[in-house]
Structures are given as structure tokens and as C-alpha cells.
Amino acid sequence: MQEIILVKYGEMALKGLNKKTFEDVLLKNIKRRLKSLGSFDYAKAQSTIYIKPLSDDADMDTAMERLGKVFGIAALCRAAACEKSFEAICERSVDYLEEVLSYAKTFKVTAKRADKSFPMKSPEICAQLGGVLLEMFPNLSVDVKEPEVTVTVEIRDTHAYIHAENLKGAGGLPVGTSGKAMLLLSGGIDSPVAGYMMAKRGVHITAIHYVSPPYTSDRARLKVEELCQKITDYCGSIAFFCVPFTEIQEAIRNNCPEEYFTIIMRRLMMEIAQRICEKEQCMALITGESVGQVASQTMNALMCTDAVCRIPVFRPLIGMDKTEIIEIARKIDTFETSIQPYEDCCTVFTPRHPKVRPKLEDVEAAQSCFDFSALIDEAVRKTEVKVFNLEV
Ligand code: ATP
Ligand code: MG
């Protein structure tokens, strides 16, 4: 008989009245990920989702791999299904768990009896199945405190389920349960990680990227699109806005004092992002900034950037070291793409001596050398949008 997948929710299980909404979004996200792998039946009970394949050819390995990237799942495992009789449970346990039990030294059995009509009580199932397994696998001894393997038997309405693994899930909250925010996505290492981290908190990500052709190349833009595609594994579909930024950057270069180029550019990026946020109902901005990483990320510079922001700016990497950020970038498989050497609009017209501790009034005075409003309107008007979907 078949195998099923058990998915346990994490933090969501603690949500009181809202729990149903969270569960529904999680289920929808799971279904979308598994749609191309076969047809499945889904059942919910006690902070667990039971995913049962409806045909023998469902691709369970890929299903597990995809589910491992779904936020809102604390743990997941594959389980063997069998008929609800003690004999069938024993036989299936020996057969299904043979490999793990042959190599382990210690184990214990736990039982959950959702179907109270099953004739044996949980302690009895544990004791008797434990006895059978000890006999079959002489290498094993029982350790109830710290067993290497915990064999779990669940007696549910139609079947009994047996499993021994418990893989850690992606954690967090289901994407879509915390509203929508706009990620300023560059081709670097940091911003894809920032997007991943906010998606983990249930935020639906929309991305914005600024390009300055001919100073930045098509290849640089394609790299960012590739990053956007990669993070859909975790974030789900992402609408990607690409803003033509050349004229604005040239206007800054031609009209403003050089040491303020970068900070003015960042303020204008924020202005444009907020204009698009209004249209897209995004409630916050997200960047990959971290205190002190570069001149535009000192506290003074961040304050000058935030002064033009009317909505919150989330900076999930703010207190992280580059090595910690890289570790996550590797885990989510964006690192190798991020380190490809293509220019970003932030690296064209960089001042030789940027102001490390800019004062807001000086930045405002420097920016007022030119009226950017017409150029901002035009950049917003010429922004192109493209949607990246989960690759399934
Ligand atoms: P990253 O590794 O993400 O590129 P960084 O350390 O290179 O970050 P900056 O170039 O100063 O830092 O950019 C800081 C943040 O500004 C980025 O994390 C990103 O959120 C945003 N950003 C920078 N360049 C762009 C761009 N061309 N389009 C959109 N957002 C950008
Ligand atoms: Mg960058």
C-alpha cells in the first residue's frame, strides 16, 4: 500500500481565531507546488496536513523537495499507510523501516490513536510493536529518553500510518498571510536574501529593479531576472518591475554635488518605488542593507534615505555580517548567480569621496539643485513589468 506525506505547521498552530485563514493559505500554496506532480488528496487534522497521492506514479521525492521550501511548514515526513490492524502495522513497520532500523542502536515507539475505536490503546501499541521490532532487529535497544529513531504510529479514520523521519521544514508563515511589500532587488548577494527573509514572515514579494542602459548591460538585467526566478521557489510568483533610471542618474551627475550622488540616487529610488507601491497595494519597502556595509548604509545615510519614505522600510539584514548573509544565499541557491560580475546602476557615477555622515539638510539642499519630478513621472510611466512564476 501507498506512502503519504505528513506536514506539520509551526508557529501558525498558535494562531487563535485566525488559524483557519493561515491554514487555507498554506494549503493553497502547497497545492500550487504539487500540482504538476500528480493528483493528491488533502486532509487537515490537529495542526497536520495529510497529503495522499491518488495514483502510484506521483513523484514523492520531488514533492518532498518542494514542500521543504514552503513557508509555514515546521516539519514534514513521509509515512507508510497500511490497513488498521495490529498485524498489518507490525508487518508494514518492519518492511518500511528496515533500512533505518538496521543501522540504528536505540529506538522507541510512540502511538497516536485518533480513531478511538481501534481495539488497542496507545501504550499497548507501543509496547507490543516495540517487542516485535526488538525481535526483528537484534541491533536495537529501547531508549525512551534520547532514541536515535522514533517510530511513530498514527491510527486515523481510514488507515494507520507509520513513520520514523522528521525533516525540518522551511519554518515561518505562509506567503500571503502578511500582506504585500516591494523588494528593491539588485544583482548583488544581499537583496535576494532580504526577499527570502521577508517571504519567510508571510510577506508576498513584489520586486523592483533599476537599470541604467547603456551604463548597465542587458546581461546585468538578465542576471537580476534569474535571481528573481530563483527566489520564487520560496516566495511564489513575483511581479518584477524594471525602472529605466539612466536619465535620472545623468541628471544627478550633471546637477548635484558629487559627494551626494549616491544618497540622492537612493532617495529617488525610494520615491519611485513608493509610487509603484501605491498602484500595487504594497505596504512596505524591503532592502538588503546592513549597517556600515558601505557609505550609503551608515546610520546617517539610512536616516537621509528614510526621510523620503512614507511607508516602513524593512531591512531584514540590518544586523547581519556578510558571512551570515552568504550562508543563506548559498542555502537558497542565489549565491553563484549573485557573484557573476555585472555592473549595477549603483556602481555607475559613484562619487570618489561619498559623504559617510551626510546631514539631512545638506542632502536636501544638494537634491534641490534640480527638480526631478518630471523625470520621476516619466520613469514610472516607462516602467516595465514581468511576472515570474514558480517553476513547476
Ligand atoms: P546587494 O548585494 O543586494 O546588491 P549591496 O551591498 O551591493 O547590496 P547597495 O548597492 O548599496 O548594497 O544597495 C543596497 C540595497 O539597495 C540593495 O540591497 C537593494 O535592496 C537596493 N538596490 C541597489 N541597487 C539596486 C538596483 N539596481 N535596483 C533595485 N534595488 C537596488
Ligand atoms: Mg548592489
Side-chain angles (χ1 to χ4, degrees), residues 246-259:
T246 314
E247 287 181 16
I248 290 180
Q249 283 198 283
E250 285 176 340
I252 300 173
R253 181 196 57 188
N254 296 340
N255 298 286
C256 303
E258 182 182 331
E259 67 261 42

Side-chain angles (χ1 to χ4, degrees), residues 67-85:
L67 291 172
K69 295 178 179 172
V70 176
F71 291 127
I73 297 178
L76 66 166
C77 68
R78 289 161 85 142
C82 71
E83 190 193 302
K84 288 199 296 185
S85 74

Side-chain angles (χ1 to χ4, degrees), residues 86 111 119-130:
F86 185 66
M120 292 164 80
K121 293 209 165 120
S122 298
E124 210 180 333
I125 302 173
C126 294
Q128 298 216 16
L129 178 61

Side-chain angles (χ1 to χ4, degrees), residues 142-158:
V142 174
D143 180 347
V144 288
K145 287 216 180 85
E146 268 183 83
E148 258 173 70
V149 178
T150 301
V151 175
T152 305
V153 179
E154 298 191 29
I155 317 280
R156 304 194 57 85
D157 45 355
T158 59

Side-chain angles (χ1 to χ4, degrees), residues 91-150:
E91 202 178 303
R92 191 74 168 117
S93 302
V94 170
D95 172 48
Y96 185 65
L97 304 175
E98 183 177 357
E99 201 172 315
V100 355
L101 294 179
S102 304
Y103 292 106
K105 289 199 181 67
T106 57
F107 84 115
K108 76 170 178 186
V109 180
T110 63
K112 291 181 195 160
R113 201 173 52 121
D115 171 9
K116 300 291 180 208
S117 71
F118 190 76
M120 292 164 80
K121 293 209 165 120
S122 298
E124 210 180 333
I125 302 173
C126 294
Q128 298 216 16
L129 178 61
V132 170
L133 295 177
L134 278 173
E135 214 167 284
M136 291 300 296
F137 300 94
N139 52 304
L140 286 180
S141 60
V142 174
D143 180 347
V144 288
K145 287 216 180 85
E146 268 183 83
E148 258 173 70
V149 178
T150 301

Side-chain angles (χ1 to χ4, degrees), residues 184-186 188-191 209-210 266 288 293 297 344-346:
L184 278 79
L185 184 61
S186 70
I189 296 167
D190 304 329
S191 45
H209 177 64
Y210 305 82
R266 300 201 58 78
Q293 205 185 71
Q297 296 174 29
D344 180 64
C345 70
C346 281

